[in-house]
């Protein structure tokens, strides 16, 4: 699978699905003018069940897979809002590049 880093498409998909989130990390810093180069998109999402359901829908549209070292395309996984809420962070690979979903940022 060939993926292109397209954070705008990731953010658009999340927004169109109605996901409540805040952009964090390196891409957020670069949007604010920091001379930081990043190759992933990081978000902090609301943990409400309704929002997690919307997040799950958006992740399906982005063909999200669990990012695993040594597995270029990532590891496919089945998810819904309930299962997404069971972790504090998800490191994912999507058709638009890597996406980290953090529920409790440092």
């Amino acid at each position: 699978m060939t993926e292109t880093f397209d954070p705008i498409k990731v953010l658009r998909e999340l927004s169109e699905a109605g996901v409540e989130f805040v952009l964090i990390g390196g891409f957020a810093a670069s949007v604010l003018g920091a001379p930081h180069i990043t190759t992933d998109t990081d978000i902090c999402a609301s943990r409400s069940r309704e929002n997690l359901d919307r997040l799950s829908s958006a992740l399906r549209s982005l063909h999200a897979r669990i990012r695993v070292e040594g597995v270029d395309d990532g590891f496919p996984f089945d998810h819904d809002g309930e299962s997404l809420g069971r972790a504090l962070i998800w490191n994912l690979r999507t058709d638009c590049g890597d996406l980290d979903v953090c529920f409790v940022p440092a």
Side-chain angles (χ1 to χ4, degrees), residues 10-89:
V10 171
L11 298 174
R12 183 177 298 123
E13 188 67 43
L14 294 168
S15 295
E16 289 176 358
V19 177
E20 297 171 353
F21 69 93
V22 175
L23 182 64
I24 60 174
F27 186 67
S30 67
V31 167
L32 295 173
H36 182 77
I37 297 173
T38 188
T39 59
D40 70 346
T41 306
D42 305 294
I43 65 165
C44 179
S46 165
R47 295 186 82 181
S48 75
R49 178 57 191 267
E50 297 80 12
N51 195 59
L52 292 173
D53 288 338
R54 292 188 294 266
L55 175 59
S56 180
S57 177
L59 293 177
R60 276 192 293 281
S61 295
L62 291 165
H63 304 113
R65 298 154 320 271
I66 296 174
R67 194 166 65 241
V68 178
E69 189 173 328
V71 181
D72 291 341
D73 290 339
F75 187 77
F77 73 117
D78 190 28
H79 53 83
D80 59 16
E82 182 179 350
S83 65
L84 290 176
R86 291 185 189 139
L88 296 180
I89 189 165

